[in-house]
């Protein structure tokens, strides 16, 4: 079903979640990961704008990720 170098979406999602947890880049935010045919969509909220780049870079470096769509939003400060 998959080519030699392809990873299933389920495995890719699991790997991305583990990478984000291990790096701590998403620790104070709520990041949701959706994967479809290697294309990753990130949704959820961030506490600080500085969190965005490390999260997107960490996800894009995972083997099997074809594209990352960043739909993360910043939480408005009160």
């Amino acid at each position: 079903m998959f080519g030699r170098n392809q990873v299933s979406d389920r495995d890719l999602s699991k790997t991305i979640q583990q990478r984000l947890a291990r790096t701590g880049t998403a620790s104070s935010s709520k990041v949701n990961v959706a994967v479809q045919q290697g294309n990753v969509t990130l949704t959820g909220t961030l506490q600080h704008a500085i969190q965005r780049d490390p999260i997107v870079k960490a996800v894009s470096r995972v083997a099997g990720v074809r594209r990352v769509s960043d739909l993360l939003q910043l939480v408005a400060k009160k």
Side-chain angles (χ1 to χ4, degrees), residues 11-24 62:
D11 290 342
L12 195 53
S13 180
K14 183 177 177 182
T15 301
I16 291 168
Q17 294 287 358
Q18 290 172 342
R19 172 80 52 95
L20 291 176
R22 188 170 52 244
T23 61
V62 173

Side-chain angles (χ1 to χ4, degrees), residues 12-64:
L12 195 53
S13 180
K14 183 177 177 182
T15 301
I16 291 168
Q17 294 287 358
Q18 290 172 342
R19 172 80 52 95
L20 291 176
R22 188 170 52 244
T23 61
T25 54
S27 60
S28 64
S29 59
K30 295 179 181 176
V31 177
N32 301 307
V33 177
V35 181
Q36 186 171 14
Q37 296 179 344
N39 298 311
V40 179
T41 302
L42 301 174
T43 57
T45 57
L46 301 175
Q47 295 293 320
H48 307 283
I50 198 166
Q51 293 173 299
R52 184 180 304 274
D53 282 345
I55 290 171
V56 173
K57 285 180 184 179
V59 171
S60 65
R61 290 181 181 138
V62 173

